[in-house]
Amino acid sequence: EVQLVESGGGLVQPGGSLRLSCAASGISVTSNFMSWVRQAAGKGLEAVAVIYAGGSASYPDSVRGRFTISRDDSKNTVYLQMNSLRADDTAVYYCARGVFFGELSLDHWGQGTLVTVSS
Amino acid sequence: EIVLTQSPATLSLSPGERATLSCRASQTVSRYLAWYQQKPGQAPRLLIYDTSNRATGIPARFSGSGSGTDFTLTISSLEPDDIAVYYCQQRTNWPPITFGQGTRLEI
């Protein structure tokens, strides 16, 4: 059974940093497409970081240069390092595994961790 | 940048009725589309992948169709448990994952 468990969320001041973790079981994070998807309260879904099995990463303009996705094979964990946080980064952050049946779908999701950026 | 537009924003129907949710892409990038269901307070769950394939454990009353830029999620006979927000998603060139803004289903 695949399980993804996020942690590391919390309250941080504007300009601060936070590192989220996604501990995986049932899959290897280094052999899979992994992503971080966020959702502000009452809003839709936004993918903020992805890392391919080969190791390349991609980010939307809204977070590029501030967020970094990485993974640790020994801990089977994916991380999201968030720097220079802003109020509009406040959201629930989900970790999700991507699969390419014919095209990319996110078939397993964690329960999410809340990040609040406020002074 | 690809934009996925979902309609309607909100859909109010009765149990047993048929629901039709639409997702339109601003341009053709992929032949395929995925659909997700998000119930209140929960993470999204994959419903449909590659336009028309049900994910594991998804009831047969959920079906997907479409091609080009127009895609549809159909729920053949609504149940109270189907109350949720439904999102469409495509893999796009940049950013690599794009979601629609969601359709809220009320029953």
Side-chain angles (χ1 to χ4, degrees):
Chain A
E1 179 189 5
V2 176
Q3 281 198 314
L4 302 173
V5 180
E6 301 97 334
S7 60
L11 176 64
V12 61
Q13 292 189 338
S17 298
L18 210 56
R19 188 178 81 159
L20 306 183
S21 300
C22 170
S25 59
I27 61 167
S28 166
V29 298
T30 55
S31 301
N32 282 273
F33 177 103
M34 302 298 296
S35 63
W36 286 95
V37 177
R38 70 182 179 185
Q39 185 173 39
K43 302 298 184 181
L45 303 169
E46 179 189 22
V48 294
V50 305
I51 185 164
Y52 293 83
S56 61
S58 182
Y59 311 89
D61 291 343
S62 57
V63 307
R64 190 178 306 112
R66 300 189 299 121
F67 289 11
T68 302
I69 188 172
S70 62
R71 60 195 184 189
D72 185 329
D73 186 26
S74 65
K75 296 182 178 179
N76 207 27
T77 297
V78 179
Y79 301 99
L80 184 66
Q81 177 67 44
M82 304 185 294
N83 299 328
S84 304
L85 283 162
R86 311 185 302 221
D88 61 359
D89 294 318
T90 295
V92 174
Y93 284 74
Y94 297 101
C95 173
R97 193 272 295 260
V99 290
F100 292 84
F101 294 114
E103 195 44 279
L104 175 64
S105 303
L106 304 178
D107 68 337
H108 288 281
W109 296 67
Q111 83 288 350
T113 186
L114 176 63
V115 172
T116 303
V117 184
S118 174
S119 56
Chain B
E1 182 178 334
I2 303 299
V3 177
L4 298 179
T5 302
Q6 293 187 239
S7 60
T10 302
L11 188 57
S12 298
L13 295 169
S14 299
E17 287 192 301
R18 181 186 190 92
T20 303
L21 288 68
S22 174
C23 179
R24 174 167 290 178
S26 57
Q27 56 185 287
T28 299
V29 173
S30 171
R31 294 188 295 144
Y32 298 117
L33 188 93
W35 290 94
Y36 300 84
Q37 177 192 63
Q38 187 178 32
K39 296 181 179 181
Q42 296 185 17
R45 175 176 72 151
L46 178 65
L47 283 180
I48 300 289
Y49 65 92
D50 291 353
T51 302
S52 60
N53 296 285
R54 282 187 302 276
T56 302
I58 301 303
R61 66 178 185 276
F62 291 90
S63 63
S65 63
S67 63
T69 59
D70 292 310
F71 300 87
T72 300
L73 173 69
T74 301
I75 310 173
S76 60
S77 180
L78 285 169
E79 297 186 2
D81 188 53
D82 296 334
I83 294 174
V85 179
Y86 293 82
Y87 295 94
C88 58
Q89 172 257 317
Q90 276 194 322
R91 184 186 69 86
T92 49
N93 293 327
W94 191 266
I97 301 175
T98 298
F99 293 97
Q101 84 281 11
T103 289
R104 182 177 304 276
L105 180 59
E106 300 175 343
I107 301 176

